[in-house]
Amino acid sequence: MKTYDKLIFELSKPGRKGFELPADNYATDGLSAIPSDLLRETPAELPEVSELDVVRHFTNLSNKNFGVDTGFYPLGSCTMKYNPKINEELAALPEFTSLHPLQDEKSAQGALELYWNLQNMLANLSGLAEFTLNPYAGAHGELTGLMVMRQYHMSRCDLKRTKVIVPNSAHGTNPASAMVAGLEVVEVKSKPNGSIDVEDLKPLLDDTIAGIMMTNPNTLGMFETEILEIARLVHEAGGLLYYDGANLNPLLGKVRPGDMGFDIMHINLHKTFSTPHGGGGPGSGPVGVASHLVKYLPNPHVKKDAEGKFHVEYGDDSLGNISTFLGNFGVMMKAYAYILTLGKENIRNVGPLATLNANYIKENLKDDYLLPIEGVCKHEFVFDGLKDKSTGVTTLNVAKRLLDYGFHAPTIYFPLLFHESMMIEPTETESKETLDEFIEVMHKVAKEAKENPQAVIDAPLTTIVRKLDETGAAKNPVLNYRALKNKEA
């Protein structure tokens, strides 16, 4: 085993160190500044390693990570859309990062102007009246949007409206957010192509319905062709339409949710506007609303006065604060840079290119992989595993085998409409050469599944970590080095 493949504790040798603590300027003995009841009775069990070993260890660990900078990820815009490095540089400008949220707004006009400009850009791109950038993530945006929905009905004393309709193909956060918002979830069935079954929807629309949550295109990547009829039915029943912005990428610059009849939406800046979110954050989930809902958006609001100055205001009808200050400002800066880089002329190309790439992969692989829904998809599509299932090779096996060829696996077993779902979403920035290489590997795995199925079933074969007992890891996780040593003993 190479040195840098070992755990950091395995590199430990008594007496080695690669650091020197600064002199204690506050206490003569170095410990009296710490209350005695907080002092350890025994030294901490920490690894003793040289600086060079530490640098090599963690640098080589980082090289084992997969990222969009190192390879193609077949579900790009969900978590790993291309993030230009200049966006990171701009977000790190000290003129912004050195600001304090409590300083006088007169000395933060540039930051407030950026916030104001971005919320107006998003409103223009979505067809809605106004946005708040305060929510910290997409799911947080969902919750905020549903709180706006509740506030709207409560302000009208329409207290019976406590139910929200959610398609059975919805993203998992939809029913979860509705429950957290105190709403009861009512499921509407989907047609075989994932579109909402309008005939199943009609009997659900009564005076207890607060609204409906949906995305367009749907989770299977197909456009909801009956969206205007759905909007008419829901509005006539007194409900509101909520747009899950997870699938906004293929519509960017072409179609606006507000024009379809949606009243509320959230946007995942990391999915559509190229801000890193893989690994858990930081995120941002701006929420936009139609004009009759603007006053319910959460505090605080950024407003521009007649003299062109920017102010932070608090509205009396607002649902209240849902985050500290004005959200994750650094993430907003990256989205702002992305939009300005593309401009009005080029942002309209995002959707068509994402759609083109998805359809290119789909059409080239549908002879080997089962395509349950024919027709032109948008940014993503779903296979139902291999066409030939006689060898017992599953979607999980295919996903693991992709790792051997240097590709990250796509999302599998979602949506739940199909038993062997494999969702593929290439994004607009991938070249034809990259897509062709992925297609070639997918064909190769399908051929292996026929000629040597055990190799696929046993995959991955070349990765540092082989196939894991995922159930065992979830039930009995090994969370520290001491537990690992005891387990091995």
Side-chain angles (χ1 to χ4, degrees), residues 231-251:
R232 183 186 68 81
L233 291 169
V234 173
H235 284 149
E236 286 182 354
L240 300 176
L241 274 77
Y242 182 95
Y243 184 86
D244 176 351
N247 291 354
L248 181 62
N249 207 56
L251 306 185

Side-chain angles (χ1 to χ4, degrees), residues 1-7 10 56-66 400 402-406 458-468:
M1 178 184 290
K2 295 179 182 177
T3 299
Y4 50 75
D5 282 336
K6 296 181 179 180
L7 297 172
E10 293 178 291
R56 284 177 177 166
H57 174 74
F58 286 106
T59 299
N60 282 285
L61 277 183
S62 72
N63 290 336
K64 294 177 175 66
N65 289 336
F66 187 94
K400 296 295 186 184
L402 283 175
L403 303 180
D404 287 327
Y405 290 105
D458 292 340
L461 305 174
T462 62
T463 53
I464 297 169
V465 178
R466 298 289 296 276
K467 183 174 288 187
L468 302 175

Side-chain angles (χ1 to χ4, degrees), residues 22 48 113 149 195 243 257 290 303 351 394:
E48 299 178 67
E113 182 178 359
M149 184 183 291
S195 297
Y243 184 86
K303 299 292 184 180
T394 66

Side-chain angles (χ1 to χ4, degrees), residues 185 428 442:
V185 175
E428 69 281 354
M442 288 288 283

Side-chain angles (χ1 to χ4, degrees), residues 193-262:
N193 68 351
S195 297
I196 289 176
D197 187 334
V198 175
E199 295 306 313
D200 189 63
L201 173 66
K202 289 177 180 178
L204 303 178
L205 296 171
D206 57 26
D207 60 1
T208 67
I209 296 298
I212 184 171
M213 298 184 77
M214 56 187 294
T215 188
N216 194 18
N218 60 39
T219 309
L220 298 177
M222 307 302 288
F223 191 82
E224 294 275 358
T225 57
E226 296 183 272
I227 182 59
L228 296 181
E229 175 66 5
I230 292 172
R232 183 186 68 81
L233 291 169
V234 173
H235 284 149
E236 286 182 354
L240 300 176
L241 274 77
Y242 182 95
Y243 184 86
D244 176 351
N247 291 354
L248 181 62
N249 207 56
L251 306 185
L252 195 59
K254 284 292 183 181
V255 182
R256 307 191 307 175
D259 297 335
M260 300 180 203
F262 286 95

Side-chain angles (χ1 to χ4, degrees), residues 39 93 137 157 159 216-217 435 457 475:
L39 289 173
L93 288 173
C157 296
L159 305 182
N216 194 18
L435 301 184
I457 292 171
K475 291 183 176 180

